């Protein structure tokens, strides 16, 4: 019976971790949004992630770009800005993700790239000038990271807080193998921020 009990313990632990991760991502997807319906033209800012060492698309890049493609269609967006600089000689995060988005059918005329940002704070800082004049703004990433991006928008441009809309980034049990590690990382970032209030994070 011991192997059976051990297996049940492992399964329970894994299931509990997945459910906790789902709850964290779901809650984050509701945070730092504008209140009420916001009409008008919409733009997206997609937060980057480093490509693989050989330049190929990383699974997290693919996930974020898939979310962006969905949001582009569902929100009727007119512009989509991919943000993220180069990493260790690899192609820029923005260019890698933008190329994949166009493969998915996002029109090239709507795509812009911001290729200098080296952190989430800079993703927001350097991308916001590229979406001036739009009535709605969606920050696109995995749910916990998108919430951090929206918080940075509010910190940098409080005037845009009411313009923030959901990208619909949360879907139940979508890519749980990525949700768990991203939940762990964002929890670490939140805890570290409390200990070092002014620090900037990727």
């Amino acid at each position: 019976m011991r192997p059976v009990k051990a297996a049940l313990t492992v399964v329970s632990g894994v299931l509990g971790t997945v459910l906790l991760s789902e709850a964290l991502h779901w809650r984050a997807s509701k945070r730092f949004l504008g209140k009420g319906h916001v009409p008008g033209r919409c733009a997206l800012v997609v937060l980057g992630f480093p490509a693989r060492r050989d330049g190929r698309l990383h699974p997290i890049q693919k996930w974020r770009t898939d979310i962006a493609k969905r949001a582009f269609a569902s929100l009727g967006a007119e512009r989509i800005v991919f943000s993220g600089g180069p990493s260790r000689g690899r192609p820029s995060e923005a260019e890698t993700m933008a190329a994949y988005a166009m493969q998915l059918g996002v029109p090239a005329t709507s795509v812009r790239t911001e290729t200098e940002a080296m952190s989430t704070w800079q993703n927001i800082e350097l991308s916001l000038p590229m979406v001036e004049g739009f009535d709605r703004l969606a920050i696109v990433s995995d749910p916990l990271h998108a919430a951090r991006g929206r918080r940075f928008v509010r910190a940098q441009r409080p005037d845009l807080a009411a313009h923030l809309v959901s990208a619909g980034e949360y879907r139940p049990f979508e890519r749980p193998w990525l949700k768990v590690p991203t939940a762990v990382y964002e929890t670490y970032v939140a805890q570290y921020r409390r200990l070092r209030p002014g620090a900037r994070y990727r």
Side-chain angles (χ1 to χ4, degrees):
M1 291 296 291
R2 285 183 181 177
V4 173
K5 291 180 71 174
L8 288 173
T9 300
V10 170
V11 169
S12 297
V14 170
L15 182 59
T17 300
V18 169
L19 291 176
L20 176 59
S21 169
E22 286 291 325
L24 291 172
H25 281 282
W26 174 82
R27 185 178 67 175
S29 71
K30 309 295 182 183
R31 303 188 69 197
F32 308 118
L33 294 167
K35 295 182 179 179
H37 175 68
V38 182
R41 299 168 66 226
C42 182
L44 313 180
V45 171
V46 188
L47 308 180
F49 191 88
R52 293 183 183 273
R53 291 186 181 276
D54 60 4
R56 289 184 299 124
L57 200 71
H58 190 281
I60 289 182
Q61 289 183 312
K62 186 176 187 301
W63 183 23
R64 293 180 184 181
T65 308
D66 288 343
I67 294 171
K69 169 63 167 59
R70 294 196 312 242
F72 186 82
S74 65
L75 294 173
E78 298 178 28
R79 178 169 297 176
I80 179 167
V81 178
F82 290 89
S83 176
S87 177
R88 299 175 185 174
R90 286 168 274 180
S92 75
E93 299 168 9
E95 291 167 329
T96 303
M97 295 169 73
Y100 176 56
M102 288 184 281
Q103 289 177 20
L104 295 177
V106 175
T109 52
S110 298
V111 174
R112 304 289 186 276
T113 55
E114 181 291 299
T115 60
E116 301 297 324
M118 300 304 290
S119 67
T120 302
W121 181 267
Q122 289 185 346
N123 286 147
I124 299 302
E125 181 180 33
L126 299 177
S127 297
L128 288 183
M130 303 173 74
V131 293
E132 289 285 356
F134 286 86
D135 305 293
R136 294 178 292 154
L137 174 61
I139 304 301
V140 181
S141 187
D142 46 274
L144 280 158
H145 190 219
R148 179 151 57 102
R150 290 192 295 268
R151 184 169 60 78
F152 286 172
V153 172
R154 287 173 170 244
Q156 295 180 27
R157 291 284 304 274
D159 57 304
L160 294 181
H163 296 256
L164 289 168
V165 298
S166 172
E169 64 269 21
Y170 177 76
R171 284 192 173 182
F173 301 104
E174 179 183 47
R175 291 176 168 89
W177 58 92
L178 294 178
K179 278 182 179 170
V180 170
T182 53
V184 170
Y185 179 73
E186 291 294 331
T187 301
Y188 163 77
V189 166
Q191 188 64 29
Y192 196 68
R193 189 178 68 243
R194 292 189 187 98
L195 298 174
R196 296 182 61 184
R200 298 283 179 245
Y201 309 95
R202 181 156 177 77

